[in-house]
Amino acid sequence: DKGTYPFYMLKEIDEQPNVMRKLAQVYLNDAGDPVINTDLLAALKAADRLYVVAAGTSYHAGLVGAKLFESLASVPTEVHVSSEFAYNQPLLSEKPFFIFLTQSGETADSREVLLNVNEQKFPSLTITNVPNSTLSREATYTLLLHAGPEIAVASTKAYTAQIALQAILAKALGQAKQQSGANAFDVKQQLALVANGMQALVDEKDTFDQLAKADLLHTPNTFYIGRGLDYAVSLETALKLKEISYVQAEGFASGELKHGTIALIEKDTPVIGIITQANTAGLTRSNLQEVSARGAKTITIVTDALAKNDDTIVLPTVDERMTPLLSVVPGQLLAYYTSLNKGLDVDKPRNLAKSVTVE
Ligand code: F6R
C-alpha cells in the first residue's frame, strides 16, 4: 500500500534509510562484524576471482560492488551484463565464484548465465530481494536484501540495498582473508552515516522538484558524468531519468567526453557532474568547465569534503567507497520529479515491466 504517497517510487526512495538500518541489523553483530554463512564465506575465500553478473540497475550496483570486493577483500572482480555473458562467456579464471545480483530473482538473462554456471559446476551466490525466487533456488547460496517489496518499475531501494549488502560481504571476505583494510572498515558506522545522509537528502524533496522543473523538464537530452565510482553512479542516474521521464540521458566517464561525445553539447544542455572521489575531483571539475565553455548548464553533486561554494547539491561525507549510496539519491529524486512534473505514470513507464522474464 502506498499510503499517502502519490507513487510507490517516492515511497521506496524514502524507505532507503530504513533499508540501510535493516541490513545492518540482519547482517552485523553488536561488535559491527558481519554474520555470514560460513560455507558461503569458505567458498568465496577459495575463489581466485569473482564474477558479478546482472542486468540494468542491478548491473550498476555490481559495478560498485566490484570496487568494494577488490578494495576490502583483495580479490579480482569482474562485472558483466548477463545478456552478454550468456552467449559470449569470457575466458574464466581457475577458481571462479559467481555472484548474481537480481532484485526480482526472475530475470531470464541472468538465469541463463546461472544455468550455464551450474552446468560447469561453479559455485554461486544469488543476492535477491525475493525469497524463493528462481535464481535464489538455483544458486548454491542466497542472501536476501530485506528491502521490502519493490513495486515501482524503476528500481531504487533494491539498488542501494545491493550495494550495502556487497559492502558487508566484502568486509566479511576481507576479514576471512585477514586483510587489515577490512578490519579497519567500520561498515556498521558507515551504514549509520549513510542512513542519516539519505534521510537528509529525502527531506529536501522541494530542492529536487525545483531543480527538475528548472533544468530537466524541457530538455531533450542530458548527461551525467563522473569518474570511478562516480561514473558507475552516473550510469545508474542516467538510466533512472531515461526510463521514467523519457529524457534521453547518458551516463559518461567524464574524461571520455572530450573524445567525441562533447560534440553533442549545445547551449543549455544539462550536464550533471558527480564528484565524491578526491583523486579525480579536480579532473571532473575541469571536464565540467569544458562543457560549460560550450554552453552547457552544469549541476554538481559533491561530497562535503570536496565541495566548493557554488556546488549545487552537497552530500554528507562518508567513506569514499560508500558514496554511491548517497550520490544516487539526488539522481533518483531528479528522475522522479521530472517524470511527475511531466504528468507521466511514474511507477509504470511505457514499454517496461517489473521483471523481465524473456531473453
Ligand atoms: C531499472 C530496472 C531494471 C532492472 C533489471 C534487472 O530501474 O529496474 O534495469 O534492474 O531489469 O532486474 P533484476 O534486478 O530483477 O534482475
Side-chain angles (χ1 to χ4, degrees):
D1 175 32
K2 54 184 193 290
T4 55
Y5 285 95
F7 288 102
Y8 280 105
M9 185 182 177
L10 193 62
K11 175 170 181 269
E12 290 162 4
I13 290 171
D14 268 6
E15 284 169 349
Q16 294 177 109
N18 278 336
V19 174
M20 297 298 107
R21 295 184 189 110
K22 173 82 182 180
L23 285 168
Q25 222 175 58
V26 172
Y27 288 108
L28 300 174
N29 64 18
D30 287 344
D33 288 322
V35 182
I36 300 288
N37 176 301
T38 49
D39 290 347
L40 165 57
L41 266 186
L44 280 164
K45 205 176 148 186
D48 63 358
R49 185 172 290 252
L50 306 183
Y51 292 82
V52 180
V53 179
T57 287
S58 294
Y59 168 72
H60 297 154
L63 295 174
V64 178
K67 295 271 183 193
L68 290 160
F69 288 118
E70 294 202 335
S71 147
L72 294 169
S74 290
V75 55
T77 306
E78 295 180 17
V79 194
H80 291 271
V81 166
S82 45
S83 59
E84 280 300 303
F85 196 99
Y87 300 97
N88 293 280
Q89 181 172 299
L91 201 56
L92 301 177
S93 67
E94 265 173 42
K95 304 208 77 190
F97 185 100
F98 284 83
I99 298 178
F100 292 88
L101 297 177
T102 170
Q103 187 285 131
S104 64
E106 302 297 340
T107 299
D109 290 321
S110 302
R111 178 165 187 241
E112 182 62 28
V113 180
L114 178 53
L115 294 177
N116 297 341
V117 161
N118 285 344
E119 238 165 62
Q120 296 169 87
K121 303 213 173 347
F122 295 132
S124 60
L125 161 69
T126 290
I127 296 181
T128 182
N129 201 28
V130 183
N132 279 314
S133 52
T134 305
L135 272 99
S136 87
R137 281 185 273 109
E138 293 174 348
T140 325
Y141 306 97
T142 298
L143 291 176
L144 293 176
L145 293 170
H146 294 284
E150 193 180 65
I151 310 289
V153 163
S155 181
T156 53
K157 62 179 179 174
Y159 169 84
T160 45
Q162 283 169 339
I163 292 172
L165 186 46
Q166 287 177 103
I168 291 169
L169 192 58
K171 175 172 166 104
L173 180 57
Q175 284 183 314
K177 293 177 66 183
Q178 263 129 36
Q179 299 291 309
S180 57
N183 286 325
F185 178 70
D186 188 344
V187 71
K188 189 173 190 176
Q189 183 199 29
Q190 287 301 317
L191 289 175
L193 290 173
V194 162
N196 292 341
M198 284 173 160
Q199 191 60 54
L201 288 166
V202 300
D203 285 344
E204 291 292 325
K205 294 195 178 64
D206 201 46
T207 306
F208 298 104
D209 188 10
Q210 295 308 322
L211 208 54
K213 279 187 188 125
D215 293 342
L216 297 175
L217 202 52
H218 303 293
T219 187
N221 65 342
T222 186
F223 292 86
Y224 282 86
I225 66 170
R227 291 175 184 239
L229 287 177
D230 296 332
Y231 171 41
V233 173
S234 79
L235 294 172
E236 170 56 13
T237 46
L239 177 60
K240 285 287 90 79
L241 189 69
K242 277 185 275 203
E243 65 178 332
I244 62 168
S245 80
Y246 316 146
V247 173
Q248 175 132 32
E250 222 173 321
F252 229 78
S254 60
E256 187 68 3
L257 209 57
K258 60 185 171 297
H259 297 287
T261 305
I262 199 167
L264 290 173
I265 302 296
E266 292 181 275
K267 185 174 175 315
D268 290 338
T269 304
V271 178
I272 301 165
I274 303 176
I275 302 172
T276 71
Q277 308 293 306
N279 70 329
T280 54
L283 289 168
T284 296
R285 286 197 188 278
S286 307
N287 300 137
L288 284 168
Q289 270 158 17
E290 287 155 14
V291 295
S292 199
R294 287 154 181 88
K297 210 192 279 181
T298 59
I299 295 167
T300 49
I301 298 172
V302 189
T303 36
D304 214 341
L306 301 172
K308 299 198 167 163
N309 276 338
D310 55 354
D311 282 319
T312 322
I313 297 159
V314 178
L315 310 167
T317 299
V318 294
D319 186 296
E320 277 198 0
R321 293 165 288 199
M322 299 293 266
T323 56
L325 292 167
L326 292 178
S327 59
V328 75
V329 177
Q332 295 170 339
L333 287 165
L334 286 173
Y336 175 81
Y337 282 108
T338 306
S339 177
L340 186 80
N341 286 308
K342 283 189 166 187
L344 299 170
D345 186 345
V346 179
D347 287 341
K348 291 198 183 68
R350 68 187 180 205
N351 308 342
L352 289 167
K354 183 63 183 164
S355 62
V356 184
T357 53
V358 292
E359 283 185 61

